[in-house]
Amino acid sequence: MRWLDKMERRFGRYAVPNLINYIIILYALGFVVEVVSPGLYSRFLALDAAAILRGEVWRIVTFIIQPPTGSFLFIFFSLYLYYMIGRMLEYQWGAFKFNLYFFSGLLLHVLACLAIYLVTGLNLSYGTMYLNMSLFFAFAALFPDVEFLLFFILPISNANIWAMPTAFTLSSRLSPASSFRWGVPSGSRLSVSGFWRCLPIVWRLWCLS
């Protein structure tokens, strides 16, 4: 897109090279925090709209340290996986576009969290799950033929790996509302929270396509 190219020429010098390195360090820090003090993240660091509006504005930034898993067994594999994905996305897009993709995800997470709370009164505690899934989704879109070895034995393509969490997310977020709330009938196939949670990923990929 021309406007994106103009932004890169104007602001490209401010992009953080090797951004994924710092992201992985933050995830590792979040894992240590959760091991040392379980529950600290959810009580004081997660993206919580009600808490932010009460003055706990640091949550806008600190929610990023949530690791992709809390398991000792899988944390190293997860961090390496997202490191590899981030490196390949930055190589494909360049530092500026990768920075824009990730930081716009942070911003849209905050806006979606606040919008859902202000419009519906529903207070959702956000972490990094959708940020991580958006990285995976972008990677699958750009490199659909890349194969991973499931359990180090079974080859499975990138596109097929992504189909499983995508189906789970859509089924959980686009399910019928449980009651007539926020003006949405119980038979509606699209919940307000589902729409706002899926929007950041779709918008960011459209901008960078």
Side-chain angles (χ1 to χ4, degrees):
M1 292 186 176
R2 292 183 178 180
W3 67 270
L4 194 57
D5 295 332
K6 291 180 180 178
M7 285 185 62
E8 184 171 7
R9 287 194 295 270
R10 185 171 183 179
F11 303 108
R13 62 181 180 275
Y14 300 114
V16 180
N18 302 315
L19 176 63
I20 194 64
N21 295 357
Y22 304 103
I23 296 170
I24 295 301
I25 292 173
L26 290 176
Y27 285 168
L29 175 62
F31 181 79
V32 172
V33 168
E34 190 62 26
V35 169
V36 173
S37 181
L40 178 67
Y41 176 85
S42 59
R43 292 197 304 271
F44 300 109
L45 304 177
L47 189 58
D48 184 306
I52 291 173
L53 295 177
R54 289 197 303 267
E56 299 180 16
V57 293
W58 62 82
R59 291 175 179 266
I60 294 175
V61 177
T62 57
F63 84 96
I64 186 57
I65 74 168
Q66 184 188 38
T69 178
S71 169
F72 277 100
L73 181 61
F74 293 107
I75 184 62
F76 296 104
F77 296 105
S78 298
L79 294 182
Y80 178 74
L81 174 64
Y82 286 109
Y83 170 79
M84 182 192 68
I85 289 175
R87 294 288 292 178
M88 293 189 70
L89 289 178
E90 184 169 335
Y91 176 80
Q92 181 72 18
W93 284 335
F96 175 77
K97 290 182 179 179
F98 181 64
N99 276 236
L100 180 63
Y101 186 76
F102 188 81
F103 287 123
S104 65
L106 294 180
L107 176 61
L108 289 171
H109 265 64
V110 174
L111 294 179
C113 179
L114 293 173
I116 291 172
Y117 180 73
L118 293 175
V119 173
T120 70
L122 184 63
N123 189 24
L124 300 175
S125 182
Y126 280 70
T128 58
M129 174 184 173
Y130 288 93
L131 283 173
N132 295 332
M133 291 181 68
S134 72
L135 293 178
F136 209 160
F137 187 71
F139 182 69
L142 292 173
F143 308 100
D145 297 325
V146 171
E147 286 190 346
F148 295 92
L149 291 179
L150 185 63
F151 304 118
F152 301 101
I153 300 175
L154 302 175
I156 181 171
S157 71
N158 198 8
N160 290 333
I161 291 177
W162 177 249
M164 293 182 287
T166 300
F168 172 78
T169 302
L170 291 178
S171 65
S172 62
R173 298 306 171 195
L174 304 183
S175 59
S178 59
S179 59
F180 193 95
R181 298 178 61 189
W182 327 309
V184 180
S186 59
S188 173
R189 297 300 300 176
L190 179 63
S191 68
V192 175
S193 62
F195 171 78
W196 281 102
R197 283 186 167 188
C198 293
L199 180 62
I201 299 176
V202 176
W203 182 86
R204 289 150 65 207
L205 282 174
W206 176 79
C207 287
L208 291 173
S209 60

